Amino acid sequence: VFPVGPGLPLQRKGGKPSLALVYQAVQALYHDPDPAGKERASLWLGELQRSMYAWEVSDQLLQLKQDVESCYFAAQTMKMKIQTSFYELPPETHNALRDSLLTHIQNLKDLSPIIVTQLALAIADLALQMASWKGCVHTLIEKYNNDISSMLFLIEILTVLPEEVHSRSLRIGANRRTEIIEDLAYYSSTVVTLLTTCVEKTGNDEKMLIKVFRCLGSWFNLGVLDSNFMASNQLLMVLFQVLQRDETSTNLHEASSDCVCSALYAIENVETNVALALQLFQGVLTLETAYHMAVAREDLDKVLNYCRIFTELCETFLETTVRSPGQGMGDLRTLELLLICAGHPQYEVVEISFNFWYRLGEHLYKINDPTLHAIFRPYIQRLLHCLARHCQLDPDHEGIPEDTDDFGEFRMRVSDLVKDVIFLVGSVECFAQLYSTLKDGNPPWEVTEAVLFIMASIAKSVDPENNPTLTEVLQQIVLLPESVHMAVRYTSIELVGEMSEVVDRNPRFLDSVLNYLMKGLREKPLASAAAKAIHNICSVCRDHMAQHFHGLLDIARSLDSFALSTEAAVGLLKGTALVLARLPLEKIAECLSDLCAVQVIALKKLLTEQSTNGKSADPTVWLDRLAVIFRHTNPIVENGQTHPCQKVIQEIWPVLSETLNTHQADNRIVERCCRCLRFAVRCVGKGSASLLQPLVTQMVGVYQVYPHSCFLYLGSILVDEYGMEEGCRQGLLDMLQALCMPTFQLLEQPNGLRNHPDTVDDLFRLATRFVQRSPVTLLSSSIIIHIIQCAIAATSLDHRDANCSVMKFVRDLIHTGVANDHEEDFEVRKRLIGQAMEQHGQQLVTQLMHSCCFCLPPYTLPDVAEVLWEIMVFDRPTFCRWLESALKGLPKETSGGAVTVTHKQLTDFHKQVTSAEECKQVCWAIREFTRLFR
């Protein structure tokens, strides 16, 4: 047993728990019939895993070898502790831990494969972190390669070791990672030789072959195998023999396929791996017969594996194929293989190749060479033909096409792919060709529906100018009898919606199209599709639709008499609002009032019911409908004219205010109220001034009791609209201060920032709007210090939106002292920012460096770089000192004794940042530097 170093006491009275107690908890976790008992055991064991005692307890459980469950828990705990808490162990215990783990894996090798995997991971993670364990691959092979019974766990360790090198849970840093990769590359041929010997010794033992191929694939994935050595290696031959054999079992077939895919992925750069590339290229081309055999035997698993291999082959040789089609390894037989797969009756097979076809389309689009297009066009035409066939519904399908099941999602992906590759075939020609198959033949309904579906995918990319096919299609569709299959009607309605540009260019069709869609709207299965099509036509044909506004208003008034999805109903109102905004100004107020009336009456009714019988019904449907009306009613109003929507919004305010009060405890409903008010304020801009006082008073009042973050967001909208108005600034500052107090109380709780990312996001949106609209008001107030301190604490928050808001606030704040926009308050701003930076600059820079090395994901780094850049532009000499001090505080080596960052790397980084001439140079430097800590 390795000794445990002194450390944190277990957060439980009485110190280390007895093994009997731990054993009892593990039994409860797996076997307690009562879910509450399982839950208690799980919490208790989780607590144990986080404690210092976990090391010793799991070591003892593995020694006792009582049963699979307790050993699995112990092995998993060991792996977890090594991954996340390796720093708890003093360096002098590392060797003892290693020896102990190797003893355990040897003793438990026959108990259960999952325990072997967990222990192998623990050993691999230890080897990666333990700098003093030199040449671990060599020592392991030396120790176990002569004992055939140890071979399975040795190969397991050698499989997971390369996989763990880039593991997110191990922060070993770029220096150590480079050292390890060089070390593994050095020993890679030893590993391959071991695997080859293994296969020779055990012959066709399936279990061993699966292990060997998994291990080989893992080394291919890390990219450390010598490609010339591999090209002439026996294992490659064995691999293809296994894939060619008809009697290969499913599991072995999958392992072999994975290995070939990894090998193909590893030689992505074909020029530098010519010998291996050629072997793989020729090897894969020999599998066509085996594919046909699998199809004949209806072995879908194998068919899918072959298709994966063919796709990976095409992906690897994509650039070669485009550069020299038909020559050498640009052989177009690779595309033939994919088209053979596309001909398989199961749509799951062709779906595997979609990413390749996207990439091929993208490459050809960029090169834009007509000769190349001509070479690849026939392949794309055949692909489209297969896709149209795969999109056919079953002949006995009833009702409309489902778009949420697997097949529905497949059709959506087909639609996306067709849009991306259609340029190679020509959308006009393709559309005409598809239409002629319907016009000239008399295909069964399922063929018609699939053709219409593909036509709908490309309709928008067909130029509507003088295109007789488009107008003919439109004319024919609106004449479709109601007796055709429901799915054909559904898809034809979708096609009409996609052809709204054609209607806009040919307004003579508008009436017949609207009549056709109105028929659909009245039938339950077609209603939502028809509503979406009407919405599309309203969006594109706004001016032509103005004459039909009263028809739209009638639909909107009786919206709930149609069987519409929530989304479709809101879409119809959006279309109506877009058309409303094109009416003459004097008509807008009255029509808007009519359009809102239904929703307002419904809200009033709910409030009356609430006050009479105390039951509160959900008002969100009506609030969302009002929101969409306000959001899209945006008429053009000249300066000095009163906004036509102003009066309507003032009339509606009391109902919204009362709804907000009634439901103030319910975050979801309050959010919808705020959203509705946000669009109302945006709709009339400065015209909502009379609402400002009552709205702010109510927001602040409710927020003191129920701190819903949407009030902060609504506050930011008010600051954006009114922050430039001299008379409103003090009132808005009072609002900010009143909202900040409860916010800070919430965020100062334990884990407050992490538990309330929406509040962080909205608070800093509000603060940023203040900086943009009235910086001096904010900078001269007493609240600014607290906001800056909160921002510094929140820079380490790993939450995309919240972190982005915090960084934007800090960047914009400092920028107000940098940007000389010749406003008269520039000198005041500069002085105030100078004071703030004097107070908080060092702390901010130190925290930012710590956050980007240890807390934040790489995608946030450009935001951090912008903040550092602004600080530097504001005061470069002081920033240089702050950065130097921040860098001195970073740890120089890991708990496993590996060097994290050298003195030279620190000084190089400091120099790169402080001598940068543009922000992106700072960003590149940070990206490289933080890799040292990941």
Side-chain angles (χ1 to χ4, degrees):
V1 182
F2 69 93
V4 168
L8 311 167
L10 190 63
Q11 306 299 306
R12 201 183 289 108
K13 296 180 188 69
K16 192 181 97 175
S18 70
L19 287 183
L21 193 59
V22 179
Y23 187 71
Q24 200 182 326
V26 173
Q27 287 303 304
L29 180 67
Y30 287 103
H31 303 294
D32 193 329
D34 174 22
K38 275 191 193 310
E39 182 61 24
R40 275 199 305 277
S42 174
L43 289 170
W44 190 88
L45 290 167
E47 183 77 16
L48 170 64
Q49 284 182 320
R50 283 188 291 279
S51 79
M52 259 310 271
Y53 294 116
W55 296 103
E56 199 177 340
V57 167
S58 41
D59 188 50
Q60 289 171 339
L61 284 174
L62 289 167
Q63 261 190 321
L64 282 173
K65 200 174 164 181
Q66 208 154 357
D67 57 16
V68 172
E69 284 108 341
S70 62
C71 286
Y72 177 69
F73 168 74
Q76 193 197 28
T77 303
M78 264 307 180
K79 178 202 73 179
M80 202 182 87
K81 292 297 281 183
I82 290 171
Q83 278 182 352
T84 59
S85 312
F86 189 55
Y87 61 86
E88 290 177 356
L89 295 181
E92 61 272 15
T93 61
H94 294 173
N95 284 337
L97 173 59
R98 176 192 62 198
D99 299 343
S100 173
L101 287 172
L102 290 172
T103 308
H104 291 317
I105 200 166
Q106 175 117 40
N107 293 340
L108 298 165
K109 62 177 183 283
D110 302 322
L111 188 59
S112 156
I114 56 171
I115 293 173
V116 172
T117 301
Q118 293 297 316
L119 287 171
L121 282 164
I123 292 163
D125 291 340
L126 176 65
L128 296 176
Q129 293 181 88
M130 187 174 154
S132 60
W133 186 1
K134 303 282 184 212
C136 66
V137 171
H138 184 67
T139 48
L140 289 167
I141 291 178
E142 285 278 281
K143 186 165 180 171
Y144 298 113
N145 77 337
N146 292 323
D147 172 18
I148 199 77
S149 70
S150 303
M151 204 49 91
L152 284 174
F153 76 75
L154 171 62
I155 293 179
E156 186 67 28
I157 297 172
L158 293 175
T159 304
V160 297
L161 186 63
E163 289 171 350
E164 289 295 286
V165 171
H166 292 290
S167 159
R168 291 253 171 95
S169 29
L170 294 180
R171 299 186 76 103
I172 55 178
N175 286 334
R176 174 68 179 152
R177 198 168 280 116
T178 307
E179 185 189 338
I180 288 162
I181 291 172
E182 285 169 2
D183 197 43
L184 294 182
Y186 182 75
Y187 290 113
S188 60
S189 47
T190 317
V191 173
V192 176
T193 309
L194 171 80
L195 297 177
T196 314
T197 316
C198 229
V199 172
E200 284 165 2
K201 280 187 187 165
T202 56
N204 286 341
D205 176 48
E206 184 181 310
K207 199 169 158 190
M208 186 57 87
L209 276 177
I210 291 175
K211 283 271 188 198
V212 165
F213 292 153
R214 263 199 59 217
C215 185
L216 184 61
S218 171
W219 286 74
F220 267 127
N221 285 336
L222 190 61
V224 292
L225 294 179
D226 179 311
S227 66
N228 290 329
F229 176 70
M230 284 313 300
S232 56
N233 191 274
Q234 189 66 29
L235 278 181
L236 219 53
M237 263 172 52
V238 179
L239 199 52
F240 283 111
Q241 282 165 1
V242 166
L243 286 167
Q244 284 158 357
R245 274 207 305 269
D246 182 33
E247 59 277 9
T248 299
S249 74
T250 307
N251 290 346
L252 178 56
H253 199 274
E254 186 171 3
S256 319
S257 303
D258 289 344
C259 187
V260 171
C261 289
S262 296
L264 285 164
Y265 186 75
I267 56 151
E268 196 86 69
N269 189 348
V270 177
E271 282 74 36
T272 55
N273 299 294
V274 177
L276 180 56
L278 194 58
Q279 289 296 324
L280 290 168
F281 186 84
Q282 290 168 342
V284 174
L285 288 179
T286 64
L287 300 177
E288 187 183 335
T289 321
Y291 168 82
H292 288 301
M293 196 67 201
V295 174
R297 294 202 185 279
E298 296 188 1
D299 188 337
L300 186 60
D301 288 333
K302 285 188 180 176
V303 167
L304 291 167
N305 285 336
Y306 288 124
C307 188
R308 278 196 301 134
I309 293 173
F310 299 156
T311 303
E312 202 61 67
L313 177 78
C314 289
E315 295 247 19
T316 294
F317 292 98
L318 171 64
E319 289 185 18
T320 316
T321 312
V322 171
R323 204 172 43 242
S324 49
Q327 296 160 28
M329 288 189 273
D331 194 326
L332 293 171
R333 277 185 300 167
T334 54
L335 297 190
E336 289 291 347
L337 287 175
L338 281 198
L339 289 171
I340 291 171
C341 292
H344 191 279
Q346 301 284 76
Y347 70 84
E348 294 88 346
V349 181
V350 68
E351 195 168 16
I352 290 173
S353 64
F354 277 15
N355 190 52
F356 165 74
W357 296 111
Y358 276 125
R359 282 186 59 205
L360 177 65
E362 200 177 34
H363 259 67
L364 293 170
Y365 187 77
K366 277 182 190 158
I367 295 170
N368 196 13
D369 173 354
T371 352
L372 268 184
H373 288 194
I375 294 174
F376 289 99
R377 184 171 297 127
Y379 292 94
I380 299 295
Q381 281 169 329
R382 284 162 61 194
L383 174 70
L384 292 175
H385 187 77
C386 290
L387 292 175
R389 205 182 61 250
H390 280 298
C391 284
Q392 289 173 19
L393 297 161
D394 283 334
D396 55 1
H397 177 93
E398 289 179 7
I400 63 169
E402 283 294 327
D403 43 357
T404 50
D405 61 1
D406 288 346
F407 184 55
E409 284 179 14
F410 166 74
R411 288 185 15 138
M412 292 295 48
R413 289 192 64 195
V414 167
S415 173
D416 291 341
L417 178 58
V418 170
K419 286 185 178 85
D420 279 2
V421 297
I422 194 66
F423 72 93
L424 279 164
V425 181
S427 41
V428 177
E429 297 84 339
C430 186
F431 196 83
Q433 211 177 355
L434 287 164
Y435 176 53
S436 69
T437 60
L438 300 182
K439 194 170 128 184
D440 305 338
N442 184 14
W445 75 264
E446 68 276 12
V447 174
T448 303
E449 191 278 334
V451 169
L452 290 170
F453 176 76
I454 301 287
M455 286 169 76
S457 304
I458 59 176
K460 274 190 178 145
S461 60
V462 181
D463 181 8
E465 271 310 315
N466 311 323
N467 191 323
T469 311
L470 286 171
T471 49
E472 190 183 332
V473 167
L474 204 53
Q475 277 172 301
Q476 290 306 312
I477 284 181
V478 298
L479 296 175
L480 272 178
E482 289 179 27
S483 56
V484 298
H485 193 288
M486 187 63 84
V488 173
R489 292 180 63 200
Y490 179 89
T491 304
S492 64
I493 286 174
E494 288 197 320
L495 175 55
V496 170
E498 291 296 308
M499 293 176 75
S500 42
E501 293 275 353
V502 184
V503 180
D504 192 42
R505 303 286 168 92
N506 301 278
R508 63 183 187 281
F509 295 130
L510 187 58
D511 287 4
S512 58
V513 164
L514 288 175
N515 287 336
Y516 174 69
L517 294 176
M518 277 309 296
K519 275 186 212 159
L521 195 62
R522 293 192 189 95
E523 284 188 57
K524 189 176 177 179
L526 304 174
S528 290
K532 191 178 166 193
I534 293 172
H535 163 207
N536 278 354
I537 286 174
C538 290
S539 304
V540 175
C541 318
R542 288 167 76 170
D543 294 322
H544 298 308
M545 283 298 291
Q547 58 186 6
H548 293 280
F549 179 75
H550 287 288
L552 289 170
L553 192 57
D554 289 339
I555 296 174
R557 284 189 180 125
S558 53
L559 210 48
D560 291 314
S561 65
F562 303 108
L564 296 174
S565 67
T566 315
E567 190 189 355
V570 166
L572 254 179
L573 287 174
K574 175 183 170 182
T576 309
L578 288 169
V579 175
L580 166 64
R582 290 294 166 95
L583 297 182
L585 273 189
E586 65 278 4
K587 290 198 172 160
I588 288 180
E590 184 194 343
C591 292
L592 176 66
S593 191
D594 285 349
L595 187 57
C596 294
V598 181
Q599 347 300 329
V600 176
I601 291 164
L603 285 173
K604 282 181 176 164
K605 187 170 169 228
L606 292 183
L607 290 168
T608 316
E609 285 170 9
Q610 159 79 15
S611 57
T612 51
N613 59 22
K615 277 204 181 114
S616 66
D618 188 347
T620 51
V621 170
W622 312 106
L623 291 169
D624 287 351
R625 290 181 184 181
L626 277 177
V628 80
I629 295 168
F630 294 145
R631 184 177 189 172
H632 297 285
T633 306
N634 39 20
I636 296 156
V637 182
E638 302 296 329
N639 268 346
Q641 287 179 308
T642 304
H643 198 291
C645 306
Q646 192 174 319
K647 180 167 159 289
V648 182
I649 285 170
Q650 280 166 348
E651 287 165 4
I652 293 176
W653 159 247
V655 183
L656 292 177
S657 173
E658 202 182 331
T659 303
L660 178 55
N661 257 342
T662 305
H663 297 280
Q664 57 181 282
D666 186 326
N667 183 51
R668 190 177 62 91
I669 296 175
V670 171
E671 223 166 58
R672 300 307 235 291
C673 278
C674 285
R675 190 168 169 273
C676 190
L677 286 162
R678 160 191 160 194
F679 290 123
V681 169
R682 286 290 195 211
C683 173
V684 294
K686 304 280 182 292
S688 60
S690 61
L691 302 185
L692 198 54
Q693 187 66 49
L695 174 56
V696 169
T697 308
Q698 185 172 5
M699 279 164 56
V700 168
V702 176
Y703 192 78
Q704 305 296 323
V705 191
Y706 300 108
H708 303 299
S709 75
C710 51
F711 286 126
L712 299 170
Y713 187 87
L714 187 53
S716 73
I717 302 293
L718 296 176
V719 172
D720 195 35
E721 292 289 344
Y722 293 100
M724 309 283 272
E725 305 286 307
E726 197 51 59
C728 300
R729 285 174 169 172
Q730 188 54 47
L732 291 169
L733 182 65
D734 294 343
M735 170 193 80
L736 172 69
Q737 290 179 314
L739 292 172
C740 274
M741 289 313 150
T743 305
F744 292 150
Q745 282 170 1
L746 188 69
L747 299 180
E748 280 162 7
Q749 292 169 359
N751 284 332
L753 294 164
R754 184 170 292 279
N755 294 342
H756 303 284
D758 295 351
T759 302
V760 175
D761 183 14
D762 293 330
L763 170 69
F764 287 102
R765 275 174 195 265
L766 169 56
T768 303
R769 287 292 190 204
F770 239 113
V771 168
Q772 292 164 346
R773 293 285 172 257
S774 182
V776 176
T777 312
L778 180 63
L779 285 163
S780 321
S781 70
S782 57
I783 196 79
I784 185 66
I785 297 249
H786 303 289
I787 295 177
I788 292 175
Q789 284 168 339
C790 183
I792 292 174
T795 54
S796 61
L797 185 60
D798 173 10
H799 181 281
R800 190 182 285 261
D801 296 339
N803 195 281
C804 185
S805 284
V806 173
M807 295 299 174
K808 184 165 174 44
F809 163 72
V810 182
R811 181 204 158 278
D812 285 9
L813 183 74
I814 299 164
H815 189 71
T816 51
V818 172
N820 187 355
D821 41 20
H822 307 293
E823 296 278 337
E824 63 274 14
D825 65 354
F826 175 65
E827 287 306 324
V828 182
R829 292 191 327 237
K830 193 172 172 180
R831 178 175 55 77
L832 290 168
I833 293 291
Q835 288 169 1
M837 290 309 290
E838 209 172 304
Q839 229 176 327
H840 304 286
Q842 178 67 72
Q843 190 194 353
L844 174 61
V845 173
T846 303
Q847 182 69 29
L848 283 171
M849 284 314 302
H850 183 272
S851 296
C852 58
C853 288
F854 300 109
C855 311
L856 299 179
Y859 67 76
T860 59
L861 297 181
D863 296 342
V864 178
E866 286 195 3
V867 176
L868 292 173
W869 172 254
E870 290 295 339
I871 302 173
M872 184 159 72
V873 175
F874 184 74
D875 182 349
R876 202 175 279 248
T878 313
F879 172 74
C880 291
R881 290 201 306 278
W882 287 340
L883 182 60
E884 186 181 346
S885 166
L887 294 176
K888 279 180 179 163
L890 293 172
K892 309 296 182 284
E893 60 173 52
T894 65
S895 45
V899 173
T900 306
V901 57
T902 63
H903 181 69
K904 183 176 185 312
Q905 285 170 325
L906 286 170
T907 50
D908 285 355
F909 171 66
H910 188 276
K911 189 177 170 190
Q912 283 166 347
V913 173
T914 53
S915 62
E917 284 172 16
E918 48 182 346
C919 183
K920 64 177 174 205
Q921 293 170 317
V922 177
C923 187
W924 289 332
I926 290 182
R927 266 188 205 288
E928 282 307 308
F929 184 71
T930 52
R931 286 197 180 114
L932 299 171
F933 297 88
R934 282 185 204 291

